[in-house]
Amino acid sequence: MTTLICGSLAFDSIMSFEGRFSDQILPNQLHILNVSFLVPELRRDFGGCAGNIAYSLKLLGGHPLPMATVGPDGQAYVSRLRGLGIDTSLIREIPGSYTAQAMIMTDRDNNQITAFHPGAMTYANQQTVPRRGDVALGIVSPDGRSAMIEHAQQMADAGIRFVFDPGQGLPMFDGAELRTFVEQASWVTVNDYEGKVLCERTGWTLDEIARRVEGLVVTLGGQGCQMWSEGCGPVHLPAEKPTAIVDPTGCGDAWRGAFLYGLERGWPVEACARLGNRLGAIKIASAGPQNYQLPADFLQGQHGIPSL
């Protein structure tokens, strides 16, 4: 089975602030916010939700098919994915645009401030979900607004079961649009904050959302995640203890790649989510969203799968 991954490819400029944002941003001065952060460390990484999810899914031995748009400056990224053995046939170059760019600043408490330039991602709706016999699973992750709406509808029309993962794209949609996404999807994954916004805009509680899908997972960072399956729950799944906390960038995408790996193999939602927690703990111990590797015994004992 091949998993269609609809989302962005982006370059991440990642900066480390050695202090705390809360010490620099005064709540009673937000109306005249003017702050500057000294960031001694800076690096540029391959990122974007589609790229990050494809990386983690491929690392586990899955079959990702990213569908995304890049600018002419994105060819090195495409070549990298191809070198990893990832099918790049659905990545389209948009002339005259930059590949999407994310500027991410992390403080000592792993809080993040992000600025994002969509660039070529704006034209992602020019891509169409393919009708391929090997594609039976997908994910709609943060992308251009029109692309997310159209790709979800195209997957639903094609009978492709998919994960709705709105991420940072969630604020682009009103309640009616979000209700449609949920009704089209087979699974929904959000973090704690996104879950609250999703409930507020749809007018549904998490229990009500869970009754409309096969599985709902709310990730809680270092606290693990809450899971509803077939409308039952929530069940709390604790986080795995990482060997080090280095960089949270891309942890959510690593989690989602692991979740999709389990879905590819027909695992129960709980097993998929537990694997996500395990991979998130591996990722956070490495800098950058696509620089981590798996220990040789990572999958050993996970749903009876032998080690890689």
Side-chain angles (χ1 to χ4, degrees):
M1 180 189 297
T2 297
T3 299
L4 181 66
I5 302 172
C6 298
S8 64
L9 296 181
F11 291 114
D12 289 344
S13 295
I14 300 175
M15 298 157 279
S16 296
F17 174 55
E18 296 176 346
R20 292 184 172 90
F21 296 144
S22 59
D23 294 335
Q24 304 294 321
I25 300 174
L26 304 178
N28 61 348
Q29 298 296 312
L30 291 178
H31 63 292
I32 52 169
L33 185 64
N34 186 1
V35 294
S36 177
F37 301 97
L38 177 65
V39 287
E41 296 182 19
L42 169 67
R43 70 177 186 276
R44 196 169 192 239
D45 285 319
F46 297 104
C49 292
N52 296 344
I53 294 170
Y55 177 84
S56 62
L57 180 54
K58 184 66 178 181
L59 199 61
L60 288 163
H63 301 88
L65 178 62
M67 186 168 78
T69 46
V70 297
D73 60 330
Q75 287 310 305
Y77 197 159
V78 177
S79 296
R80 166 186 163 78
L81 294 176
R82 194 176 296 125
L84 293 170
I86 295 172
D87 186 341
T88 61
S89 60
L90 296 184
I91 298 175
R92 179 177 179 180
E93 181 179 310
I94 305 296
S97 291
Y98 288 109
T99 300
Q101 313 272 332
M103 283 65 75
I104 304 168
M105 183 166 51
T106 304
D107 75 358
R108 64 187 301 176
D109 293 329
N110 287 317
N111 297 308
Q112 292 185 321
I113 295 176
T114 301
F116 187 74
H117 170 66
M121 192 187 81
T122 306
Y123 303 95
N125 64 320
Q126 295 182 11
Q127 298 276 68
T128 302
V129 169
R131 297 292 184 112
R132 286 176 36 167
D134 62 329
V135 177
L137 178 65
I139 184 169
V140 173
S141 64
D143 207 349
R145 171 183 154 79
S146 296
M148 292 179 69
I149 292 173
E150 293 174 20
H151 294 159
Q153 184 64 59
Q154 290 163 9
M155 284 198 205
D157 291 344
I160 298 172
R161 298 161 75 218
F162 71 92
V163 177
F164 176 51
D165 170 39
Q168 62 266 34
L170 193 152
M172 297 189 294
F173 305 105
D174 62 25
E177 291 165 333
L178 290 169
R179 287 191 292 272
T180 298
F181 279 124
V182 171
E183 289 166 344
Q184 291 169 330
S186 295
W187 304 274
V188 174
T189 59
V190 289
N191 66 26
D192 189 27
Y193 173 77
E194 294 157 2
K196 290 180 173 63
V197 175
L198 183 62
C199 290
E200 180 182 300
R201 295 202 176 183
T202 60
W204 294 334
T205 65
L206 290 173
D207 288 332
E208 289 171 328
I209 293 170
R211 288 196 290 269
R212 289 171 165 83
V213 292
E214 296 178 35
L216 165 66
V217 183
V218 178
T219 57
L220 305 170
Q223 303 304 310
C225 64
Q226 282 187 312
M227 178 212 71
W228 290 253
S229 181
E230 302 293 346
C232 297
V235 175
H236 179 251
L237 305 179
E240 294 280 331
K241 184 176 177 60
T243 57
I245 298 177
V246 176
D247 179 14
T249 308
C251 283
D253 294 330
W255 189 98
R256 282 149 180 80
F259 189 77
L260 289 167
Y261 177 83
L263 293 178
E264 277 190 354
R265 280 143 190 81
W267 292 1
V269 171
E270 180 174 346
C272 299
R274 287 189 184 278
L275 185 65
N277 287 355
R278 292 183 65 198
L279 192 58
I282 296 293
K283 197 272 112 197
I284 202 170
S286 296
Q290 296 180 27
N291 299 321
Y292 58 98
Q293 297 295 324
L294 299 182
D297 62 348
F298 180 74
L299 285 176
Q300 192 168 12
Q302 177 72 35
H303 213 68
I305 303 298
S307 61
L308 290 176

